[in-house]
Amino acid sequence: MYMQEQHEWLHAEVSRRSLVTGAALGASAVLSPTLWQQSSTTRDPGIRGRHITYGSDPTTSLIIEFATAMPIRTAAVRLIAANREQVTAEPARIRTVRGSSRRYCRADFTGLQPDTAYTYEIAVDGRTIGSGRAETAFADRRTFRFTAFGDQGTGRRPRGVLARLEQLAPSLHLMCGDLCYADSSGQGGPGDVFKPHLWDSWLAQNDPAASHIPWLSVPGNHEMEPGFTTHGYAGYLTRVAPGGASPLEIPVASAFRVGSVGFVGLDSNDVSYEIPANRGWTRGAQTRWLGQTLARYRAEGSGIDQVVVFMHHAPYSTNNTHASEGGVIEAWVPLFDKYTVDLVISGHNHCYERVKPLRGGKVVGDGAGVVDSLTGTTYITAGGGGEGGEARFIPIPGKTRIAYAGGREVVNEDWSLPSKTATPSVLTVDVTPASSSTAATLDVRAIAADGHQLDGVRLVRGTPSVGSGSDTPWLIGGGAAAVGVGGAAALWVARHQRGDPSRTHDSVPPSS
């Protein structure tokens, strides 16, 4: 985002008044009456759509957001540690958005204690009117669970998937774009049909989960809303903080670390051929930042075992609605290969589909049971968040469509797995960090709203070398990844190398 645009999308922020700025206080300290004195007003502004996420460092920072149904003058949030050893308060920025009467409030907390449970209290106009709970991430290496899906929307099916997510009790959730469909057209143009009230419905629907589970999000094509600055993202950014650390000029990209896993969230609209409204808007800056971030994650001594990337557009999918995105394949897949990214999660196609592990466009394993993520990246389309419409897969086996500048081309594929389904679902991943004797693993499952498992695979990142003197000797990046690994990382899974999918120009009619 360019400097002028940064000012534009922030212009609706209401004055922060003279609120206390939230220095950490002792458990026995009394917070300033400016924040919490009883208000004489009798009106109830109501709390709608609590939403929490991580700041730039998940172990020490949290962002707490909420909306109110009525105008307010001041807002603040107070955090109280479960052990009451830390109490801190921050003023909340109050913003308005064209097309909505709601006030969207955001409080940023830094300097928190790692691995600490907090109770948060929400005050508006000096009166406490809401509360919730939040927890910072842990700083050590331990097992944890995260979930993911894209293409959520509102209604019965999204609520069913959301209820399953809550039962899975993840430490964090990844939202892979197309959040609420306020822009129902999704073309990023002035003619798009826009219903801003759906944002408020979406925030209210997700409140039971997002009020205590950190949600990290990236935009989809339906977040390119007509008439908003920042390439259409201003409405999204005003209501929802994506979370993590974003490069200044690209507020919808993010990177963050939890335990032994490095996460990267990307704005795939920036490289999309299929819906090109925002194609190239970062002028290559996002791709350069991605390479730098992955290099940092794979640097010696980073402590990161696995890298997970999430975005909206699927680079590999046999779904016939949106198919595969050639822009991602061209711009980012080479970086995923170079830095041996373990798992890439996307949405866009309203389905679940996992592909066989790939490296350099070639299949390097059968994808069954256990997959060696050191030798091949697993790509999953997790667009089963619940938005209506049945997924339609290409009707001819061994074929897929890929969107390029000239349109969608029909090509051969040998990577799709038969577990693909249109059933709404949530992707759940259980992380086990590496130890001196065991490799790092990601246990990946697709769980339907009714609880039954649709698919599952274990991603294992090689094995450690005995006596190597390194905590993570199997972390291989750069050019070494392209030529394979030997000696220091004995592989757990046999490789099955196959040829490149060859492009054809067959005339295959799209399914209706």
Side-chain angles (χ1 to χ4, degrees):
M1 177 168 59
Y2 310 112
M3 188 61 67
Q4 177 60 33
E5 290 173 332
Q6 294 177 49
H7 290 295
E8 288 175 350
W9 82 266
L10 288 170
H11 81 282
E13 182 179 348
V14 177
S15 171
R16 297 175 66 174
R17 309 288 178 175
S18 55
L19 299 178
V20 173
T21 57
L25 304 176
S28 61
V30 178
L31 293 173
S32 166
T34 305
L35 286 168
W36 260 269
Q37 68 183 18
Q38 185 68 27
S39 172
S40 60
T41 182
T42 58
R43 66 188 177 90
D44 182 6
I47 294 296
R48 305 289 189 275
R50 294 168 297 169
H51 183 278
I52 72 169
T53 189
Y54 293 131
S56 58
D57 181 352
T59 65
T60 61
S61 59
L62 289 169
I63 298 171
I64 298 177
E65 298 170 300
F66 60 95
T68 65
M70 295 178 64
I72 59 175
R73 293 175 289 108
T74 63
V77 178
R78 174 169 58 184
L79 285 182
I80 306 169
N83 57 14
R84 301 198 66 83
E85 290 182 356
Q86 185 182 35
V87 180
T88 183
E90 286 287 348
R93 286 172 285 175
I94 305 170
R95 297 170 177 162
T96 58
V97 181
R98 177 177 54 80
S100 175
S101 62
R102 300 291 171 92
R103 300 305 194 261
Y104 301 97
C105 307
R106 168 177 169 173
D108 294 78
F109 290 88
T110 59
L112 303 177
Q113 299 299 316
D115 196 19
T116 300
Y118 291 89
T119 296
Y120 61 85
E121 297 177 346
I122 296 170
V124 298
D125 294 339
R127 184 160 57 101
T128 303
I129 61 171
S131 62
R133 56 190 173 91
E135 189 169 342
T136 51
F138 47 87
D140 57 349
R141 296 164 59 84
R142 67 175 74 168
T143 60
F144 70 98
R145 170 179 291 172
F146 68 89
T147 53
F149 56 61
D151 309 88
Q152 187 183 18
T154 58
R156 179 183 58 82
R157 298 207 309 181
R159 287 194 297 270
V161 177
L162 188 67
R164 178 57 50 188
L165 183 153
E166 289 187 78
Q167 293 176 352
L168 290 166
S171 296
L172 65 141
H173 177 68
L174 308 179
M175 183 68 211
C176 300
D178 282 6
L179 283 66
C180 71
Y181 294 86
D183 178 349
S184 59
S185 304
Q187 297 300 307
D192 284 8
V193 177
F194 186 46
K195 301 175 181 178
H197 71 275
L198 290 177
W199 273 110
D200 299 318
S201 299
W202 180 79
L203 288 168
Q205 168 189 271
N206 289 355
D207 180 280
S211 61
H212 67 96
I213 299 170
W215 283 51
L216 291 302
S217 61
V218 292
N221 56 294
H222 287 270
E223 276 68 66
M224 299 186 296
E225 296 176 331
F228 283 99
T229 57
T230 322
H231 305 277
Y233 299 138
Y236 158 56
L237 290 170
T238 301
R239 294 176 174 93
V240 178
S246 297
L248 179 63
E249 71 277 14
I250 313 169
V252 286
S254 66
F256 58 97
R257 173 182 175 178
V258 175
S260 58
V261 179
F263 293 90
V264 182
L266 298 172
D267 173 20
S268 53
N269 292 314
D270 184 29
V271 297
S272 175
Y273 282 122
E274 182 206 2
I275 303 174
N278 277 1
R279 178 171 170 80
W281 78 268
T282 73
R283 302 178 184 177
Q286 183 176 207
T287 300
R288 291 189 294 273
W289 170 82
L290 171 62
Q292 294 162 2
T293 301
L294 294 178
R296 185 174 72 252
Y297 281 171
R298 288 298 186 220
E300 182 70 26
S302 71
I304 290 175
D305 294 345
Q306 291 133 322
V307 176
V308 174
V309 173
F310 64 109
M311 69 182 97
H312 185 59
H313 297 76
Y316 299 103
S317 176
T318 60
N319 188 282
N320 215 25
T321 302
H322 295 293
S324 305
E325 177 53 70
V328 174
I329 294 174
E330 290 178 354
W332 295 341
V333 165
L335 291 173
F336 302 157
D337 289 338
K338 179 178 180 180
Y339 295 106
T340 63
V341 169
D342 300 87
L343 176 62
V344 174
I345 307 169
S346 57
H348 200 37
N349 293 290
H350 298 181
C351 65
Y352 171 83
E353 183 174 14
R354 177 170 61 90
V355 308
K356 299 170 185 177
L358 300 173
R359 185 69 80 229
K362 298 179 180 180
V363 173
V364 293
D366 61 13
V370 178
V371 168
D372 179 11
S373 64
L374 182 62
T375 58
T377 298
T378 291
Y379 294 85
I380 292 178
T381 300
E387 174 61 13
E390 294 299 323
R392 301 179 180 92
F393 295 96
I394 194 167
I396 302 178
K399 299 286 186 180
T400 188
R401 286 187 173 87
I402 301 180
Y404 289 109
R408 294 200 299 180
E409 297 181 14
V410 177
V411 304
N412 297 327
E413 64 82 17
D414 58 354
W415 36 257
S416 183
L417 288 165
S419 57
K420 57 190 177 185
T421 176
T423 303
S425 62
V426 56
L427 187 73
T428 178
V429 182
D430 292 308
V431 178
T432 302
S435 69
S436 59
S437 58
T438 60
T441 61
L442 299 175
D443 286 298
V444 181
R445 295 175 296 149
I447 307 295
D450 65 6
H452 79 276
Q453 182 169 315
L454 302 171
D455 183 39
V457 67
R458 169 170 285 188
L459 307 184
V460 181
R461 194 170 176 83
T463 60
S465 173
V466 177
S468 68
S470 170
D471 290 334
T472 54
W474 50 92
L475 296 183
I476 305 296
V483 296
V485 182
L491 303 180
W492 283 25
V493 182
R495 306 181 200 179
H496 299 284
Q497 198 83 358
R498 300 186 183 181
D500 286 311
S502 59
R503 292 190 188 183
T504 67
H505 293 274
D506 311 32
S507 177
V508 180
S511 60
S512 57

